[in-house]
Amino acid sequence: MNRGGRGRGYDGGSPATGGGRGYYGGRGGGRGGRGGAGRYSNPCLTMHQPWASLLVYGIKRIEGRSWPSPITGRLWIHAASKVPDQETIKAMEDFYREIYAVDGITEIKFPEHYPVSRLIGCVDIVGCLKCEELVSWDSVPESVRLEGLTDFCWLCENPQKLLIPFEMRGNQGVYNLEKRIYESAIRGLTPMRGPLPVRFPLPVPTDRFSLNPGSLSLSSSYQSSLKTGTVQKSARVSSAIAGAKAAASQYLNNNNNNNNNNNNNNNNNNNNNNNNNNNNNNNNNVVPTGEDVVGSTGEDRRRSNFQIGAPDNKLFAAAFGNLKLNDAP
């Protein structure tokens, strides 16, 4: 699999390495497939909140990225450690309220909580399209086309939530879930029904891997289902999309700034440690001045001024035989 560049989706996903398209399973998360079978045993993707939970709850049906999906089949979703702010949550919930309203859906049950540092569920990736293909595809609801905001759109079905999220650390890109975590998690899934579930039609019904970037534009049977131009947006929808993009951009900028601040703090800590080490080295070479030295009988009290680089005061006292270090000044 060729390695692509790094990138982030509009959804605030963690940076990841793109690549050529491999396959894992098919619809329903079955194992097997072609062109990369075995590359991922139990693929997982770490995402920021609130986008992670919106996907697992079936509200979000398109996972937007700057790179094509490397798998087809079940994809486990892990929520990153950053706690989402209320402004970001509100912006994304408003975005989905507006785009679902286009299809007549006015009641949406959003998550009550957005857990972090947890494995929270899974979805099935049934294909991946270029943005221009998705937004012109008349065979899917208009609200789905309005989710097409990035270069590549991962098509998600069959959302399932973990009844008890598993605490774990994430990683960049698509990575394999640990076997012990998978074996525990697979038993705790419950299906979720989103406001408007979608079943993405295959360009080639007999080929479950036929939804690839460019596949719609090359399929003559699908030309009639492609609209010309982009989806017509109302002022409210346009405002909601702008708010979602702004929230994601601000979220990523804050995350980058926090990372830079952490790096600067680490550098400062390293500098402080180096300074402390230098001070310790200097202290080891300095013998205190005015050290009291007293004779064995306690009668002879003398003060000696020892300088940097002078021999150790114990050795100095021992050299006189009848002198020792005073226990108290």
Side-chain angles (χ1 to χ4, degrees):
M1 182 165 66
N2 297 329
R3 309 236 352 144
R6 289 183 175 272
R8 296 176 186 262
Y10 88 95
D11 61 351
S14 50
T17 303
R21 188 169 174 76
Y23 297 92
Y24 162 80
R27 290 191 178 230
R31 291 177 180 272
R34 66 184 183 188
R39 191 183 306 279
Y40 298 103
S41 53
N42 297 295
C44 185
L45 178 70
T46 294
M47 298 173 58
H48 288 301
Q49 291 285 28
W51 296 274
S53 287
L54 292 172
L55 187 64
V56 166
Y57 272 68
I59 299 169
K60 176 177 164 65
R61 296 154 297 181
I62 301 298
E63 168 57 9
R65 295 275 154 171
S66 62
W67 41 284
S69 170
I71 64 105
T72 298
R74 177 180 289 128
L75 177 66
W76 291 92
I77 304 300
H78 170 260
S81 60
K82 184 175 174 60
V83 177
D85 56 72
Q86 291 303 312
E87 291 79 7
T88 300
I89 293 174
K90 183 180 184 303
M92 294 313 303
E93 290 182 353
D94 287 346
F95 166 73
Y96 282 102
R97 285 190 186 95
E98 291 299 330
I99 67 171
Y100 272 104
V102 173
D103 287 322
I105 306 297
T106 57
E107 295 294 330
I108 302 176
K109 185 178 180 181
F110 289 103
E112 294 181 2
H113 306 287
Y114 292 92
V116 296
S117 299
R118 298 289 190 278
L119 183 70
I120 61 173
C122 64
V123 295
D124 290 343
I125 305 297
V126 300
C128 178
L129 296 176
K130 294 180 180 178
C131 177
E132 56 267 28
E133 294 177 291
L134 178 64
V135 300
S136 302
W137 195 12
D138 198 25
S139 295
V140 296
E142 189 169 353
S143 58
V144 173
R145 300 201 301 273
L146 287 168
E147 288 190 69
L149 300 176
T150 52
D151 294 342
F152 293 95
C153 302
W154 302 12
L155 313 180
C156 304
E157 295 181 3
N158 191 28
Q160 299 182 76
K161 183 184 74 168
L162 276 172
L163 294 174
I164 301 177
F166 281 64
E167 183 175 5
M168 60 170 274
R169 296 185 64 180
N171 211 330
Q172 290 186 349
V174 176
Y175 55 94
N176 282 320
L177 195 65
E178 292 183 25
K179 183 179 179 181
R180 63 179 181 83
I181 296 179
Y182 166 78
E183 291 176 346
S184 298
I186 194 67
R187 297 192 294 268
L189 290 170
T190 182
M192 300 297 293
R193 182 176 176 82
L196 184 60
V198 62
R199 187 80 169 172
F200 295 97
L202 295 170
V204 182
T206 57
D207 185 359
R208 63 184 181 182
F209 302 106
S210 58
L211 273 173
N212 298 308
S215 61
L216 294 189
S217 58
L218 296 176
S219 174
S220 58
S221 63
Y222 264 63
Q223 289 301 319
S224 59
S225 68
L226 295 178
K227 284 188 172 182
T228 303
T230 59
V231 180
Q232 297 299 315
K233 307 179 184 70
S234 67
R236 289 177 63 91
V237 170
S238 297
S239 177
I241 291 174
K245 288 183 175 181
S249 297
Q250 183 64 35
Y251 193 93
L252 293 178
N253 289 337
N254 290 340
N255 194 48
N256 290 336
N257 290 336
N258 289 336
N259 289 336
N260 290 334
N261 289 336
N262 289 335
N263 290 335
N264 290 335
N265 290 336
N266 290 335
N267 290 334
N268 290 335
N269 289 336
N270 290 334
N271 290 334
N272 290 335
N273 290 336
N274 290 334
N275 290 335
N276 289 336
N277 290 336
N278 291 334
N279 290 337
N280 290 336
N281 291 334
N282 290 336
N283 290 337
N284 290 336
N285 292 329
V286 175
V287 179
T289 60
E291 184 74 31
D292 286 346
V293 181
V294 65
S296 58
T297 61
E299 298 176 354
D300 187 11
R301 174 175 295 275
R302 301 174 182 174
R303 291 186 177 272
S304 301
N305 292 326
F306 301 140
Q307 304 300 323
I308 294 177
D312 184 271
N313 49 1
K314 292 183 179 180
L315 296 177
F316 182 87
F320 286 88
N322 65 334
L323 300 177
K324 67 178 180 179
L325 288 176
N326 189 21
D327 292 333

